[in-house]
């Protein structure tokens, strides 16, 4: 457990990085340059293009530093991250080398005037906590670093969205709400995080809902190039979204676009149980076409009276330039509400008596969190994956 002074020093230093023009990019470039200079063999673990790798690295650091005072959050995350890196061929020794390179990169960034002995001790202690948890988890994990899977179905639901069903070589022990990383044959060494849209099952089937990201490397290939028979690699599960059944609180779920997938998987899993808390699901998108799975959720709500589904869109109509337009919402479903999802949800109050989960794009999660804070929602009730 780190003391408050140590946490404060590290957070203040990283805040200076985030505030500087191109600070995060500069720190990440310096870190990887230092790492590869000290250990040239490490370069083989990474893809040729490092742009997204650097971005993910800074985001992971930001989440860890924001949660340093929450051992119950940061330690499981670091352990999962350590196990996840095994897919690259990494073991515990690599994490400790990475900690040394990050300290050198940060010291170079802030300069000697700011880098006092106290700051150095704080960063050493913090990164020792980070790398030790990752290293121990990686070296002690008995699961394989990844599983093989074969694409058995690829359906283009919209021109920019596909549903992909795979048959795993062996069933993966994930629970509904978690996410995994995948590698596809069209983009070797480029792993991307996706959330299964169905619960784990003994048949070894898994399904992903993938939206094409403009300028992305992997999602356009999944949507536009994947064919039945492709072989994917799927890493061990990560994340901790879940419904806590040990408490009496009901549940609020807020989904944006394909962020619906992990919430959908949990609802399907709950539907197999005899008793459940009430679940209020707001499924949202920019356009009506983004409510691509409304029929499935409506059918689930018909047979599970504890589930209420409310569709929300920011725009009233689909854009004219898309070739695939939305289907009509099911007859009897709650009428569609309009506006930014955070604003719509908070019109009904603070939801302070609910367990809350938010899933969607980073910008959607951030704006929804802001809206909830503004109306006094207790943040300790809110779950979302690291952005």
């Amino acid at each position: 457990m780190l003391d408050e002074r140590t946490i404060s020093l590290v957070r203040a230093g990283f805040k200076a990085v985030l505030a500087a023009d191109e600070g995060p990019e500069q720190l990440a470039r310096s870190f990887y340059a230092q790492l590869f200079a000290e250990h040239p063999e490490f370069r083989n673990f990474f893809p040729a293009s490092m742009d997204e790798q650097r971005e993910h690295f800074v985001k992971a650091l930001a989440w860890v530093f924001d949660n340093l005072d929450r051992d119950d959050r940061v330690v499981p995350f670091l352990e999962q991250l350590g196990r996840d890196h095994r897919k690259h061929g990494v073991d515990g020794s690599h994490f400790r080398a990475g900690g040394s390179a990050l300290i050198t990169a940060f010291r170079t960034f802030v300069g000697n005037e700011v880098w006092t002995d106290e700051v150095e001790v704080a960063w050493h202690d913090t990164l020792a906590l980070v790398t030790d948890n990752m290293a121990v988890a990686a070296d002690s994990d008995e699961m394989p670093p990844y599983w093989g899977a074969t694409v058995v179905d690829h359906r283009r639901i919209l021109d920019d969205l596909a549903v992909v069903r795979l048959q795993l070589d062996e069933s993966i022990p994930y629970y509904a709400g978690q996410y995994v990383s995948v590698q596809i044959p069209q983009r070797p060494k480029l792993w991307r995080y996706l959330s299964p849209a169905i619960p784990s099952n003994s048949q070894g089937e898994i399904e992903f809902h993938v939206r094409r990201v403009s300028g992305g490397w992997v999602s356009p290939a999944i949507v536009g190039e994947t064919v039945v028979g492709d072989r994917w690699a799927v890493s061990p599960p990560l994340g901790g979204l879940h419904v806590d059944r040990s408490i009496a609180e009901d549940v609020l779920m807020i989904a944006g676009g394909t962020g619906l997938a992990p919430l959908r998987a949990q609802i399907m899993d709950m539907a197999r149980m005899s008793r459940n808390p009430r679940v209020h699901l707001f499924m949202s998108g920019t356009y009506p076409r983004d409510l691509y799975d409304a029929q499935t959720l409506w059918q689930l709500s018909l047979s599970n009276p504890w589930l209420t589904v409310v569709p929300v869109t920011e725009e009233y109509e689909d854009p004219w330039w898309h070739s695939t337009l939305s289907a009509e919402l099911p007859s009897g479903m709650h009428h569609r509400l309009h506006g930014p999802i955070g604003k719509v949800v908070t019109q009904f109050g603070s939801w302070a008596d609910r367990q809350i989960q938010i899933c969607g794009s980073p910008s959607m999660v951030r704006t929804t969190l802001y809206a909830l804070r503004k109306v006094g929602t207790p943040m300790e009730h809110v779950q979302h994956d690291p952005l």
Side-chain angles (χ1 to χ4, degrees):
M1 183 72 176
L2 300 172
D3 59 60
E4 291 183 7
R5 178 62 177 169
T6 296
I7 294 172
S8 176
L9 286 170
V10 170
R11 284 178 173 170
F14 193 69
K15 185 178 181 180
V17 172
L18 297 178
D21 290 340
E22 300 185 359
E25 173 73 10
Q26 184 180 339
L27 178 70
R29 284 185 178 277
S30 179
F31 164 72
Y32 284 111
Q34 182 68 30
L35 184 66
F36 298 154
E38 294 178 1
H39 305 277
E41 69 278 12
F42 284 18
R43 186 63 182 88
N44 294 327
F45 296 139
F46 298 93
S49 172
M50 292 288 292
D51 292 345
E52 292 194 23
Q53 179 67 34
R54 288 189 291 268
E55 182 180 351
H56 292 160
F57 171 73
V58 173
K59 286 181 178 179
L61 280 181
W63 193 91
V64 169
F65 294 156
D66 281 345
N67 289 274
L68 283 175
D69 53 351
R70 291 289 304 272
D71 278 2
D72 59 324
R73 288 186 179 183
V74 76
V75 171
F77 174 74
L78 292 171
E79 291 174 344
Q80 288 183 343
L81 203 58
R83 290 190 290 267
D84 184 52
H85 275 72
R86 294 167 58 242
K87 67 196 179 193
H88 300 296
V90 168
D91 61 29
S93 64
H94 298 105
F95 294 120
R96 295 185 175 96
S100 175
L102 182 56
I103 287 176
T104 301
F106 184 75
R107 183 172 60 240
T108 302
F109 182 89
V110 300
N112 292 330
E113 292 183 3
V114 175
W115 189 260
T116 63
D117 291 343
E118 187 182 22
V119 170
E120 181 165 359
V121 170
W123 275 82
H124 274 285
D125 289 349
T126 300
L127 292 182
L129 170 74
V130 170
T131 57
D132 285 351
N133 277 287
M134 295 177 71
V136 169
D139 289 342
S140 62
D141 193 22
E142 297 181 355
M143 286 195 295
Y146 53 83
W147 288 264
T150 303
V151 175
V152 294
D153 188 31
H154 178 274
R155 288 178 290 128
R156 197 84 170 261
I157 303 299
L158 302 171
D159 53 3
D160 62 348
L161 190 151
V163 172
V164 186
R165 181 70 68 102
L166 298 103
Q167 179 68 51
L168 295 156
D169 295 346
E170 298 178 49
S171 183
I172 295 179
Y174 70 89
Y175 60 79
Q178 289 190 295
Y179 58 95
V180 298
S181 58
V182 304
Q183 179 183 241
I184 64 174
Q186 293 86 356
R187 300 292 185 270
K189 288 191 176 182
L190 289 176
W191 292 81
R192 289 297 177 270
Y193 292 118
L194 299 176
S195 294
I198 59 174
S200 180
N201 58 83
S202 58
Q203 291 74 39
E205 297 173 326
I206 194 168
E207 179 179 297
F208 299 110
H209 298 178
V210 184
R211 170 152 264 148
R212 184 181 64 229
V213 177
S214 179
W217 286 78
V218 176
S219 61
I222 293 177
V223 173
E225 301 174 30
T226 294
V227 296
V228 171
D230 278 356
R231 291 285 294 170
W232 287 22
V234 183
S235 79
L238 301 164
L241 290 181
H242 69 287
V243 173
D244 189 346
R245 304 179 71 87
S246 68
I247 59 179
E249 292 177 342
D250 290 328
V251 182
L252 169 65
M253 294 181 171
I254 308 172
T258 53
L260 176 68
L263 307 182
R264 175 191 197 263
Q266 290 178 79
I267 290 170
M268 287 182 168
D269 198 42
M270 294 170 70
R272 301 187 291 195
M273 304 176 190
S274 58
R275 299 183 65 182
N276 286 296
R278 290 182 302 159
V279 176
H280 214 113
L281 169 67
F282 286 85
M283 54 183 304
S284 72
T286 303
Y287 301 106
R289 66 193 296 275
D290 296 323
L291 307 177
Y292 64 94
D293 206 33
Q295 185 66 47
T296 299
L297 273 301
W298 171 240
Q299 292 297 327
L300 283 167
S301 71
L302 290 178
S303 54
N304 295 280
W306 45 265
L307 174 63
T308 300
V309 181
V310 180
V312 181
T313 61
E314 293 188 30
E315 303 292 339
Y316 285 88
E317 297 180 351
D318 288 318
W320 62 267
W321 60 83
H322 282 291
S323 59
T324 310
L325 302 181
S326 60
E328 292 293 325
L329 291 177
S331 176
M333 193 175 197
H334 193 289
H335 67 278
R336 179 159 52 98
L337 304 181
H338 300 95
I341 182 60
K343 182 177 181 180
V344 170
V345 169
T346 54
Q347 286 176 348
F348 295 92
S350 68
W351 303 88
D353 60 341
R354 304 291 179 106
Q355 303 178 58
I356 302 173
Q357 296 183 28
I358 309 173
C359 296
S361 68
S363 61
M364 174 267 179
V365 174
R366 280 192 292 266
T367 56
T368 304
L369 284 171
Y370 176 80
L372 289 170
R373 284 194 190 97
K374 192 174 180 181
V375 296
T377 305
M379 287 297 102
E380 60 270 20
H381 292 193
V382 180
Q383 300 178 54
H384 63 87
D385 286 322
L387 300 179

